[in-house]
Amino acid sequence: MTTKSLSKKLESELGPLGFGMFMRVSRNSLGHTQQEMADLLGIAKGTLCDIEKGRQFVSVEFASKVAKKAGLSNVMAVEACFMDQLRRSNLNYQVKVKA
């Protein structure tokens, strides 16, 4: 499945793609618990929970680091992070990231 088709599928089923949703779906697809994923990323389980629930936003650098460490799509992680920032700023724009 391409990044574009995966992104569209996620959005159609779960709403606008954000980094928290990206993390939760990725963690579940890898078969990790929150604790296992947090350990892999070197963060606290509570921090991961806050990110997944959209209570904590991350930087683009952190999103890229997470994707690389977990073997996830860097393009999708960065794009989701940018989309969070745009929504938080009440800007109705779409971002498409190319590698």
Side-chain angles (χ1 to χ4, degrees):
M1 181 176 281
T2 67
T3 298
K4 184 176 181 179
S5 62
L6 177 58
S7 181
K8 285 186 179 199
K9 181 169 176 50
L10 288 173
E11 286 186 28
S12 70
E13 292 182 16
L14 303 170
L17 179 64
F19 188 74
M21 181 190 15
F22 170 79
M23 283 297 304
R24 184 177 65 246
V25 169
S26 298
R27 176 179 59 79
N28 288 330
S29 70
L30 293 170
H32 292 319
T33 65
Q34 280 187 334
Q35 186 63 60
E36 291 168 339
M37 189 69 150
D39 290 343
L40 174 69
L41 301 175
I43 61 175
K45 179 185 171 198
T47 301
L48 178 60
C49 181
D50 286 343
I51 292 169
E52 287 185 0
K53 298 231 182 236
R55 294 186 296 245
Q56 181 171 333
F57 294 100
V58 301
S59 68
V60 174
E61 294 84 5
F62 182 81
S64 180
K65 177 182 162 187
V66 163
K68 288 176 186 173
K69 273 189 164 184
L72 303 169
S73 168
N74 193 43
V75 169
M76 281 188 75
V78 169
E79 190 172 294
C81 183
F82 278 128
M83 291 305 298
D84 280 344
Q85 292 175 9
L86 290 169
R87 275 192 295 279
R88 197 170 61 229
S89 299
N90 292 318
L91 296 172
N92 192 21
Y93 296 114
Q94 293 290 317
V95 173
K96 297 297 175 198
V97 176
K98 293 183 182 180

